[in-house]
Amino acid sequence: MRKPVMAGNWKMYKTPAETLAFFEKFRPLAGNAAHCEVVICPPFTNLFAAVEAAKGTAIRIGAQNIGWAKEGAFTGEVSGSMIQATGATHALVGHSERRQYFAESDETVLKRSQAALEIGLTPIVCVGERLDEREGGRTESVLTQQFQNGIAGLTEQQFARIVIAYEPVWAIGTGKTATPEIAADAHRVIRGLVRAKFGKGAGDAIRILYGGSVKPDNVKSLMAQPEIDGVLVGGASLDPAGFASIVNF
Ligand code: PEP
C-alpha cells in the first residue's frame, strides 16, 4: 500500500506572519491526518515559521528548491544543510516554473535530487509535458527524456526515497485539470519507466503525485485512480480550509 502524499506548493506567496495565520486555521482541520502525509512548501523565508507552527502535528515542511552544492559562491541558492537546519524534511525539485523561468534542466534536477538525498531530505521531483508537446503526441517521449536524463541517474537506494510529481505544464495554474484518466495514463508511463530501470519492486513502491489545478471539488475523482498516490497543489494550498478539504478528500 502506498501512503498518499498531499503536498502544497505556496510558490512566491505569503510572509512569515501570513504563514502563522495559515497554520492557526489549518492545524485543527488537518494537523493530525493519519491517512496521508501532508507536506507544505512555503518560500525559503518562511521555513522556520512553518516548522515552528507545525510542531506537534503530523505536517511536514519542504523547501521549493535546493542548491546542489554543499556551500560556496552560488548567490541566491540555499543548500540542503541550510534547509535541513530549519527543520524542513522535503524539497521540491524541477518544478516546471523553475524549468520555464530559471533554466532548470534534467541534469540540474538530478544534482539537486542527489543533494537532497545526501542530507536526508525527501525530494519531490516534478516532471510533465507542455501543451505543445501533448498536442504533438510527444507526452510519453518527454516523460521518458525527463526520467532518463534526470532521476534515472540516482542509485536504487536513493530512488527508493524520492517522490515523483507528474505535473502537466498546461494544467498548472490554468484551471484545466487533467482528467483522472489522462493523469493515470501518464502515471502508468512513469511507473513503467521506473520498473524498467529500477525493477518491479521500485515501480510498485514509488509514489507518483498528480499536480495541476487540483481543487477541493476535483481531488476525490483524481484520488479514486489507484495510479494516483497523492497531489501537489499550488493555488488551492494557500487557503487553509480549502487545502484541508483537499487533504481530507
Ligand atoms: C503547482 O504549483 O505545483 C501547481 C500544481 O499549481 P496549481 O495547483 O495552482 O495548478
Side-chain angles (χ1 to χ4, degrees):
M1 247 331 247
R2 299 186 291 261
K3 191 169 190 178
V5 179
M6 310 303 273
N9 168 23
W10 283 2
K11 308 183 192 250
M12 200 169 71
Y13 292 101
K14 293 197 192 289
T15 62
E18 288 165 344
T19 298
L20 297 182
F22 173 95
F23 276 91
E24 282 300 308
K25 292 192 177 143
F26 185 70
R27 262 192 324 251
L29 301 173
N32 289 309
H35 63 286
C36 66
E37 293 171 17
V38 180
V39 184
I40 294 181
C41 303
F44 285 121
T45 46
N46 301 351
L47 286 175
F48 263 124
V51 167
E52 276 303 308
K55 276 214 172 108
T57 74
I59 305 162
R60 297 284 169 266
I61 305 302
Q64 294 176 15
N65 191 13
I66 175 169
W68 59 74
K70 287 197 169 65
E71 61 180 3
F74 296 100
T75 302
E77 289 287 279
V78 178
S79 75
S81 59
M82 293 167 186
I83 293 166
Q84 194 197 41
T86 68
T89 51
H90 291 66
L92 297 180
V93 175
H95 190 279
S96 66
E97 287 151 16
R98 302 288 326 162
R99 293 178 188 259
Q100 188 179 353
Y101 304 124
F102 302 99
E104 196 75 61
S105 67
D106 298 324
E107 290 73 19
T108 56
V109 166
L110 174 60
K111 286 163 72 172
R112 293 185 198 281
S113 301
Q114 288 165 330
L117 291 160
E118 269 165 30
I119 198 81
L121 298 170
T122 301
I124 301 176
V125 183
C126 306
V127 296
E129 80 287 359
R130 298 190 311 262
L131 183 60
D132 60 309
E133 293 167 334
R134 173 158 286 270
E135 289 179 344
R138 298 200 302 282
T139 299
E140 191 163 338
S141 69
V142 168
L143 293 175
T144 303
Q145 195 182 338
Q146 290 176 342
F147 178 82
Q148 301 295 5
N149 297 339
I151 47 181
L154 296 173
T155 65
E156 213 178 307
Q157 289 74 14
Q158 287 174 324
F159 194 85
R161 291 164 42 215
I162 76 167
V163 172
I164 295 176
Y166 167 62
E167 297 211 307
V169 180
W170 47 270
I172 297 181
T174 59
K176 287 187 202 145
T177 326
T179 63
E181 293 73 24
I182 287 178
D185 278 347
H187 285 216
R188 268 188 285 276
V189 168
I190 296 166
R191 207 176 292 285
L193 293 165
V194 175
R195 281 204 182 99
K197 170 74 189 173
F198 294 105
K200 182 175 181 311
D204 291 345
I206 184 74
R207 288 178 295 179
I208 307 176
L209 318 184
Y210 167 76
S213 296
V214 176
K215 309 280 178 224
D217 61 4
N218 60 25
V219 64
K220 217 172 167 164
S221 60
L222 289 160
M223 290 303 294
Q225 292 283 337
E227 269 298 335
I228 299 182
D229 306 315
V231 288
L232 177 54
V233 186
S237 72
L238 293 166
D239 173 60
F243 189 48
S245 72
I246 289 174
V247 166
N248 297 320
F249 66 96

